[in-house]
């Protein structure tokens, strides 16, 4: 079979992205991030969908041009159906439907979380190494934290997950408490490099099994700062790097501890990380260390595939294309779906 050319579209949150893949090979991946939310300290849904509407045509155009692909050569259009912000999803979903219908080509719906995990199968060249089944993936995005066992591309068993906040949410909240701006994850990562991770200690909760909980860590960070600020109003300014390093170590340490437990229990020899928080430099180096300690093959995504991007939607779409798993034109987007991984 000739390799299909898949145009993919991601618009679930605040990044408008389009990519073109030839089979599992990436030809282009264009991402337009929305700056408008910074001044509000978080994503404003209405502004996000308006920005998607402005971005979608030029972003798709750039993806096709960068790939050197004429739109009439596209075999199918893959789009993120959910979970995410409904107004944002609606822009990508509507565009994908219009594009596919105008060319008479199939549509493929993609679950955003499955796409993050499947980003490990994107090939950039002949040397690209992809995971073998079964493997474990720690999925850490802004809204989800899950340890998954993959038996095949779409067979993802949830071994553990957060019972409250996501790790990314906890990091963003810690940054907000320190007034570091949004999204706080990358800022904490950068400032932490000059800090002492043992300067302050924040306790992690004892949660049974492979599950996580991050809301207590966030609260203890908040109360700790409230007490210190009462003694010294400049406490945050004077200790910023140490605070960032300490809270980052606490959250990353917890993530890796449960990941190691799951690896031990399953005996699986390949481990991957995915989602926005997998861009974190401490998490990346700690997972590498875990790999050396337990003799595992470790898969750390390139930065461009950690945070939201359409290439991951394209690879998930490609595997569905091979199965002939196409979507109906009437399909609506969904904001939430079961444990996040279930398809609506
Ligand atoms: O996967 P993603 O781009 O969007 C969702 O699907 O939610 O993840 C966004 C999350 C945010 O919480 C952001 O702060 C976090 O990923 N993030 C990071 C880093 N880069 C992005 N967290 C820690 N360190 C980073 N370098
Ligand atoms: Zn995401």
């Amino acid at each position: 079979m000739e390799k299909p050319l898949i145009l993919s579209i991601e618009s679930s949150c605040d990044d408008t992205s389009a990519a073109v893949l030839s089979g599992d090979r990436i030809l282009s991946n264009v991402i337009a991030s929305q700056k408008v939310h910074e001044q509000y300290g978080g994503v404003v849904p209405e502004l996000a969908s308006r920005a998607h509407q402005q971005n979608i045509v030029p972003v798709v155009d750039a993806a096709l041009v960068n790939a050197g692909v004429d739109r009439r050569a596209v075999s199918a259009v893959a789009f993120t159906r959910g979970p995410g912000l409904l107004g944002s999803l609606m822009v990508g979903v509507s565009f994908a439907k219009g594009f596919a219908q105008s060319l008479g080509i199939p549509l493929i719906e993609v679950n955003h979380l499955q796409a993050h995990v499947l980003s490990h199968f994107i090939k950039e060249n002949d040397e690209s190494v992809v995971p073998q089944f079964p493997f474990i993936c720690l999925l850490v995005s802004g809204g989800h934290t899950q340890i998954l066992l993959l038996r095949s591309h779409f067979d993802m068993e949830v071994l553990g997950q957060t019972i409250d906040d996501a790790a990314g949410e906890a990091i963003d909240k810690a940054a907000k408490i320190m007034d570091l701006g949004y999204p706080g994850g990358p800022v904490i990562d950068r400032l932490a490099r000059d800090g002492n991770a043992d300067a302050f200690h924040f306790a992690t909760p004892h949660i049974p099994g492979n599950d996580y909980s991050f809301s207590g860590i966030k609260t203890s960070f908040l109360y700790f700062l409230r007490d210190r600020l009462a003694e010294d109003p400049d406490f945050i300014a004077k200790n910023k790097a140490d605070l960032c390093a300490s809270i980052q170590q606490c959250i990353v340490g917890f993530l890796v501890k449960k990941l190691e437990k799951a690896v031990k229990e399953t005996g699986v020899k390949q481990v991957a990380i995915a989602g926005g928080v997998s861009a974190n430099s401490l998490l990346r180096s700690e997972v590498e260390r875990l790999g050396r300690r337990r003799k595992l093959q470790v898969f750390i995504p390139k930065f461009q595939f950690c945070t939201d991007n359409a290439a991951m939607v394209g690879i998930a779409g490609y595997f569905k294309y091979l199965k002939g798993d196409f979507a109906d034109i009437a399909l609506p987007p969904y904001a939430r779906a079961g444990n996040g991984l279930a398809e609506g």
Side-chain angles (χ1 to χ4, degrees):
M1 186 174 79
E2 207 176 300
K3 281 185 174 183
L5 283 170
I6 312 270
L7 169 70
S8 53
I9 290 161
E10 157 62 37
S11 72
S12 65
C13 191
D14 60 342
D15 292 306
T16 321
S17 181
V20 179
L21 272 75
S22 168
D24 55 6
R25 186 74 78 93
I26 182 173
L27 300 183
S28 67
N29 185 35
V30 177
I31 305 170
S33 301
Q34 304 177 359
K35 294 266 168 253
V36 63
H37 309 286
E38 279 170 11
Q39 56 187 304
Y40 299 100
V43 177
V44 183
E46 178 58 31
L47 296 178
S49 44
R50 281 190 217 172
H52 282 305
Q53 271 171 342
Q54 281 171 351
N55 293 341
I56 189 91
V57 172
V59 164
V60 169
D61 203 39
L64 288 167
V65 169
N66 292 358
V69 166
D70 185 280
R71 69 187 157 77
R72 286 175 297 251
V74 173
S75 317
V77 184
F79 64 95
T80 301
R81 185 180 172 201
L85 299 170
L86 262 190
S88 291
L89 289 163
M90 196 64 91
V91 178
V93 172
S94 310
F95 185 90
K97 286 179 181 176
F99 194 98
Q101 205 168 30
S102 73
L103 293 171
I105 55 176
L107 273 169
I108 304 168
E109 61 154 315
V110 170
N111 175 298
H112 181 82
L113 300 172
Q114 291 185 343
H116 270 302
V117 176
L118 294 174
S119 64
H120 284 285
F121 293 91
I122 298 169
K123 288 191 179 151
E124 293 184 272
N125 50 52
D126 290 336
E127 278 76 54
S128 297
V129 180
V130 302
Q132 305 283 312
F133 300 110
F135 71 95
I136 282 184
C137 183
L138 171 67
L139 169 65
V140 270
S141 69
H144 292 83
T145 303
Q146 296 180 321
I147 301 176
L148 304 165
L149 175 64
L150 273 93
R151 294 196 186 83
S152 66
H153 293 118
F154 295 101
D155 179 353
M156 304 186 187
E157 185 189 339
V158 181
L159 299 179
Q161 60 187 327
T162 181
I163 58 168
D164 42 52
D165 294 351
E169 221 172 320
I171 295 177
D172 290 342
K173 294 250 177 74
K176 198 166 183 175
I177 293 167
M178 292 187 282
D179 208 13
L180 298 180
Y182 181 88
V187 185
I188 291 205
D189 191 351
R190 197 178 65 240
L191 292 173
R193 280 175 206 158
D194 302 319
N196 171 11
D198 298 316
F200 308 108
H201 181 72
F202 304 104
T204 44
H206 295 283
I207 305 292
N210 295 315
D211 285 340
Y212 294 107
S213 164
F214 291 99
S215 76
I217 297 173
K218 177 190 71 190
T219 314
S220 74
F221 187 68
L222 179 69
Y223 288 170
F224 169 82
L225 281 182
R226 191 191 57 185
D227 295 347
R228 295 299 176 99
L229 286 169
E231 293 160 14
D232 176 4
D234 294 329
F235 182 78
I236 293 178
K238 287 179 191 159
N239 297 281
K240 209 173 260 178
D242 288 352
L243 284 165
C244 289
S246 300
I247 192 70
Q248 177 177 269
Q249 172 165 279
C250 168
I251 291 170
V252 168
F254 191 23
L255 284 172
V256 175
K257 190 173 138 192
K258 291 287 177 115
L259 179 61
E260 181 160 16
K261 184 169 177 296
V263 165
K264 226 164 72 185
E265 281 171 9
T266 55
V268 167
K269 288 292 174 201
Q270 297 195 23
V271 169
I273 55 174
V277 183
S278 65
N280 182 266
S281 46
L282 183 66
L283 179 61
R284 295 166 85 90
S285 63
E286 285 299 309
V287 171
E288 295 275 13
R289 230 155 59 100
L290 171 69
R292 287 195 294 275
R293 202 161 59 235
R294 295 210 160 262
K295 306 208 170 10
L296 311 168
Q297 192 177 359
V298 163
F299 293 87
I300 311 271
K302 281 199 166 170
F303 286 110
Q304 62 161 326
F305 302 135
C306 291
T307 45
D308 292 345
N309 66 88
M312 68 183 194
V313 178
I315 192 77
Y318 168 64
F319 293 128
K320 286 196 163 187
Y321 183 95
L322 293 181
K323 294 198 296 175
D325 187 355
F326 300 125
D328 191 90
I329 189 87
L331 220 58
Y334 55 80
R336 290 171 189 278
N339 63 18
L341 282 172
E343 284 159 89

